[in-house]
Amino acid sequence: MPLAQACLAIASSSFVGLLLIGPCDPATAQPSAEPFGIVPGSFELSPSSTEAGAHADLSITVEFAHGENGRTFNDLRAAEFELPAGFIGNARAVPSCTQADFLAGDLVAQCPPPSQVGTVDFDGHIGDNELSATLPLYILDPAQPGVPAELGFRFLVFAQRVVIGVRPQDGGLAISVDDVSVNLEPRRVMISIWGTPAAAAHDPERGRRCLGLGVQPSCEGGGEAAGVQPTPFLANPTGCGPARAELRASSWEEPASSVGASAEVGPIGGCEAVPFEPELEARASSGATDSSSGFTVSLGMPGDDWSDPDAISSSAIRNARVVLPQGFSLNPAFIAGLTACTSARMAEESPASAPGEGCPDASKIGSVEARSPLLGEPAKGGIYLAEPFENPTGARFAVYAIAKAPSAGVQIEMPARLELDPQSGRPTVAIEGAPQLPLSSLVLSLGAGPIGPLVTPSTCGSFEVRAELTPYSAPAEPSLLAERLSVGQGPGGTPCPIGALPFHPDLAAASSRRRAGGFSPLRIRIGRNAGEARIDAVSLRLPPGLSARLGGVAVCPEAALPASCPRQSLLGRTLVEAGAGPVPARLPGHLYLAGPYAGSPLSVVLVTPARLGPFDLGALVLREPLRLNPRSGALILGSFSARLPTAIDGFPLHLRGLELVLDRPRLVRNPTSCLPLATSALLAGSDDVGGAQAAALSAPYRVEGCRRLRFAPTLRLTMLGTTARNGHPGLRAVFASHAGEANLASASISLPPDLLFDFDRLGAICADRDLDACPPRTIVGRVRAISPLLAEPLEGRVYLRRAPQAGLPDVVVDLGNPMVDLHVTERLRIGPAGVRIVTKAAPDVPISKLVLVIAGGARGLLVYSRGFCRGWRQVDVTLRGHNGQSRKLRPRLSARCPARHSARERRRMR
């Protein structure tokens, strides 16, 4: 024996005469030559019945390694027995013994008979004396709060407490024995716990005590009746098959190290006789369509009351799948305000921990309440959002349901994952491997604030909740349950929509600075109201004259799309508003310039990182064509070829609004016209009832300060080629304007009376509105222009095209480069004063210089009625700017005349 021999003195070997002279100091314990250990195969955990759900007695036996003299190698300090999950106990089955009664008396505990729940048998040594004892095992009032149950046995001054805990992960029991007295040297221990302690079958052992010190044990007592109604204290697992128990033990001499052993239990059988009759109840906190809502589901086992010792306990729920109604989906507005509970924070949860000490309050998404016949109080707690993928389920969407009964020291943990239908986003809550605890009810409630975790369907009606509950007793035979929810009104108490949903989206557009011709950021927002059809597609037409300086913007390479566009291609910011409730989720992003797409020379790409709370769903990418109306110069963004996304990776967006902010420095240039203008939009919508819808919207737009704009363009006209009478000359016109001026809106040019239009040359006139389809012989000139908004010049041709009304054809100027196209239509007028060229609606686009050349010679349209060089000519020109100012010019019409003219005449003709 390692302990000092002077620890004990034995006065008598009778049961009442064993006296303790003095305790040993554990610090004086000296390790033995052999290590502390457990005899192989000695650890056993044996129920008196292996029938599933039966209230059987349970015995735990272990023998510690010892020498031939029966002395153990080192002295037991502590042991912990891990019972298989499903072996459970009811701490309220019998009245407990107070700590005062347990410690009262000189020799044995004074606990009342009904508090005995079993016996403890052990063989070992006290000092040099062989010890054999059988003692009552009582259930005690816990010596400290927060302990599920405490057992104890005592003789003389030896009082040993046995604490029973509940593992939160699987509901299994853990029986721990700590600080075993150093004056004892147990070699073999058997703990017997009665399945129904107050049963009359245990009366012979109730109160019986046996003690032997080096001699045959002598016994006293026994034969006491409990005097209370027999109530089950233990129950076998309700799942069948083999189970395994674990043991860890340590010694006083080597407290830092421990030894272990395991024992096969069972197999448990008879699961076909285990009852399982679950119930389902579900409700939503909102009965309105397209609204944020909480959700509560209750699972119950009302028949399992643990009152009949002969009854088989109902099976615990092993797996649960609750499928929410069709049309319900997660609410991005709710998720956006959350954080995640990490596994490390989860590990800090305990029955006594305060809110926020474990999982943070910002990760709480609901509440849980569990009622069990084994608990004297409901176990209440929270449902917390788990860290994506880093959780026991390994799922992206997962939660921890943590229910606590602090006074009982019980914590129940139920990790669950959330599965989303990839098409509709319909959620399914899945719990697998729930703790094997008998629950009379389990209530899970999601959401309690103004922004609920779910979005209700867009239409009224009755919707089915389905549950698939699998018992431990029959893993391959789940019970299918159903419940119905009613959605009976529109958002905010409005009547239920009949037929197609309304579709009244809104549009807002404004420049932050309204100075005409100046650069200013532009903000555009479209949105929809709750209860309306979703927005599927958008086409925006900006006000004429609201132009973009694209010359300094790089085009995002196709290889970099969609999420790696360089900063040089950045146009501005985006904001996606998603979800239901008073405050939608706001997802910021960026807007980039990209290359050809959907038949347009340019496109824009909206890249919005989809980060909702702790979830990174990738990026929301939307690409839309960008083009210029060739006649008005208005920018057109989007088309119905690109559909707005409704979900990201199965997560529904419930789009509420889309905002574009073009705020790249010196990008957007305001019109130079102060007339009332408008931003217009054509939106396509749809719902699950009425099919496709459309809405045309307009937002007023106006700038100011047009009168302060300068308008001083210049025009030079030169005749090309022949100057002879009846000759067909060409014409070269050079238009120029200065930076910061108003753009040209219209022009009227009156040619000299002797410069006529040759009607015999009108044989080739294009009849097609599409200039690309016009035959080459309809081309009568060429044109080149430079705009400060573009890096490359605009070039093109001049066509003769049939006018909408009978008469002279139009002269159409077609300008373009790889980015944009512009068409300017010139009307030809012939009156008493001669030919007049009229431009009525030039686009409000800045042109620094424009050079237009009308062909002469065989393809010439103009003809001299007399020789040009006989005198000099002036042309009457009236130019009008988009700011309303006009400018009259009388430029000289110059030509290259023959050398026979005098120098003076040539100077006059220049």
Side-chain angles (χ1 to χ4, degrees), residues 877-900:
V877 177
T878 300
L879 304 178
R880 184 175 295 275
H882 277 279
N883 65 342
Q885 296 182 23
S886 61
R887 180 176 176 85
K888 293 186 178 296
L889 303 175
R890 295 200 72 199
R892 292 177 179 178
L893 189 62
S894 63
R896 183 181 296 277
C897 290
R900 66 176 178 271

Side-chain angles (χ1 to χ4, degrees), residues 119-155:
T119 61
V120 174
D121 291 81
F122 58 86
D123 299 324
H125 283 78
I126 291 182
D128 290 330
N129 297 278
E130 182 78 20
L131 174 66
S132 178
T134 300
L135 301 172
L137 183 65
Y138 299 100
I139 186 167
L140 310 177
D141 290 339
Q144 56 184 354
V147 174
E150 186 175 289
L151 308 182
F153 62 92
R154 175 175 174 253
F155 74 100

Side-chain angles (χ1 to χ4, degrees), residues 39 48 112 185 211 214 227 262 293 297 442 582 618 846 874 906:
V39 175
S48 60
E185 186 184 340
L211 185 66
S262 61
S293 176
V297 60
L442 175 65
Q874 282 187 322
R906 291 198 299 272

